[in-house]
Amino acid sequence: MTEHNLRSGYTTGSCAAAASKAAALFLTTGKNPQQVTLDLPGGENGTWIPEQVPDEERFFLETRAGSSSFRVRKDAGDDPDVTNGSWVYVRVAPLSEKELAERSDYGKGYRIDGEPPVYLDGGCGIGLVTREGLSCPPGHYALNPVPREMIAHAVQEICQYAGYREPLLITVAIPGGEKLARKTFNPKLGIMGGLSILGTTGVVRPMSEDALLDTIRLELHMNAAAGKTQVVMTPGNYGETFLETEMAIPHGKAVVCSNFVGDSAAMAAEEGIREILFVGHIGKLIKVAAGMRNTHSRYGDSRMETIAGLLSRALGGISLQLKEEILACGTTDEALKLLMVREGHYAQLVMNETAKMVKVQMEAWSGEEVSVEVIVFSSALRLIGCTESAEEYCNQVRSGV
């Protein structure tokens, strides 16, 4: 098997945190850092070479007295990310107690208390959330929770080092972000006017298809070679976190298949695996239920149509009005929330039907050689759907850990 050395990259969230750290250091000490290092949420660390924002480009962040502005270039490694190569700009500026209070009450950003308190705001190229169901509230910039924590921690760490205690305003911008966002699902999700600042681990894993498929096959082969005929499989970080926190299955025990669900089921059969416990978030698994072998967004998006179809089939039909309301939703969590409000048991019904259809699809992709049990979850709504023997499979896995 050919060995591939794929290079990981960094999320927009970790890039923003690095630029924030550089700007805070210059503001509080006058030192111009040659490089910036961060400890990332996923347990790794990263290093960036920051640049002061050129005078002719300060308009991207608006002028503010006494501020410090730095930028870092996004490097997504070998991942085909639309933001790869973009500059992530950050301005850190003094903020009065009065303005901090006003922005906290009426602004579109986020107050983060600490030593010192900071207010995190969006600039050009950062989208605004317009709909319920995302991790950021409507009317606020799409600066997601983990990046918010990373940025605030980086700045507060420098302030404590420098003995700086006054409130600060942190503004993040990605020039050209509005144009780049049109290549993503942000507009459909209700994020308008720019990009989201994303990231849960701080690191972007490469998505080269051949190399990833080789990696998945190798992991399945190693399990089979160790005498295992049953594996746990999940698409990615959300699934691994759920397995660890909710199912008591330690991190790293699952085969991570990314978007390649169909290929992974087929490879499992070829390697002699006979049972799979497949665990994932509804946003990903609803695509599998629709028959998508590869769940990457470039292959389409039929999530709302699938939810409406599963519900209609289970109930023997639904009203046109309810179908239209489901189709108008931007995320699976938003659609489930709608069903919880309108008809409480409908959301749970959709979760269970999704699990059943994922089982059917994956077993078909394996050539009916692998028995698949499925757990589908929505952490935001505390909903779990599963197939009939999923709990039994889970207990078997736990007993073997």
Side-chain angles (χ1 to χ4, degrees), residues 231-233 249 275-279 373-375 390 393-394 397:
V231 298
V232 184
M233 188 177 289
I249 296 175
E275 295 179 346
I276 293 174
L277 175 63
F278 190 63
V279 180
E373 298 298 329
V374 180
I375 297 175
Y393 271 39
C394 194
V397 172

Side-chain angles (χ1 to χ4, degrees), residues 153-209:
H153 176 76
V155 169
Q156 290 166 343
E157 180 184 34
I158 291 297
C159 289
Q160 290 169 23
Y161 160 78
Y164 188 96
R165 295 181 174 81
E166 299 303 313
L168 289 172
L169 172 64
I170 307 169
T171 306
V172 181
I174 302 181
E178 184 173 3
K179 183 177 180 180
L180 289 173
R182 297 179 195 139
K183 301 177 182 179
T184 72
F185 278 108
N186 277 13
K188 182 178 177 64
L189 295 175
I191 300 171
M192 309 306 294
L195 295 162
S196 306
I197 299 298
L198 298 169
T200 55
T201 64
V203 174
V204 176
R205 300 297 179 192
M207 295 292 288
S208 168
E209 292 197 4

Side-chain angles (χ1 to χ4, degrees), residues 47 76 101-102 115 121 142 150 177 222 226 233 252 282 335 373 380 395:
T47 301
E102 289 174 348
E115 185 72 29
D121 215 355
M150 292 174 62
M222 291 174 66
M233 188 177 289
I282 180 68
E373 298 298 329
N395 289 335

Side-chain angles (χ1 to χ4, degrees), residues 45-115:
N45 55 49
T47 301
W48 291 260
I49 300 175
E51 295 184 6
Q52 279 192 295
V53 175
D55 289 340
E56 64 271 18
E57 295 187 12
R58 294 287 175 93
F59 69 90
F60 286 130
L61 290 162
E62 300 180 358
T63 302
R64 191 174 178 96
S67 65
S68 169
S69 299
F70 276 74
R71 65 183 186 178
V72 298
R73 191 181 289 279
K74 167 73 178 286
D75 180 359
D78 290 325
D79 188 73
D81 190 312
V82 298
T83 61
N84 187 45
S86 299
W87 287 103
V88 179
Y89 288 58
V90 173
R91 181 193 64 199
V92 177
L95 190 66
S96 68
E97 292 283 358
K98 179 181 179 183
E99 190 176 358
L100 174 63
E102 289 174 348
R103 286 178 178 266
S104 300
D105 289 338
Y106 306 111
K108 299 175 182 177
Y110 305 87
R111 175 174 177 152
I112 304 171
D113 289 320
E115 185 72 29

Side-chain angles (χ1 to χ4, degrees), residues 235 259 261-262 278 282-295 306 354 357-359 361-362 365:
N259 294 306
V261 181
F278 190 63
I282 180 68
K284 185 76 72 173
L285 266 60
I286 196 69
K287 294 183 178 183
V288 181
M292 293 179 64
R293 291 176 59 92
N294 188 313
T295 60
T306 305
T354 299
M357 283 306 302
V358 171
K359 174 182 172 69
Q361 299 289 3
M362 291 185 68
W365 293 330

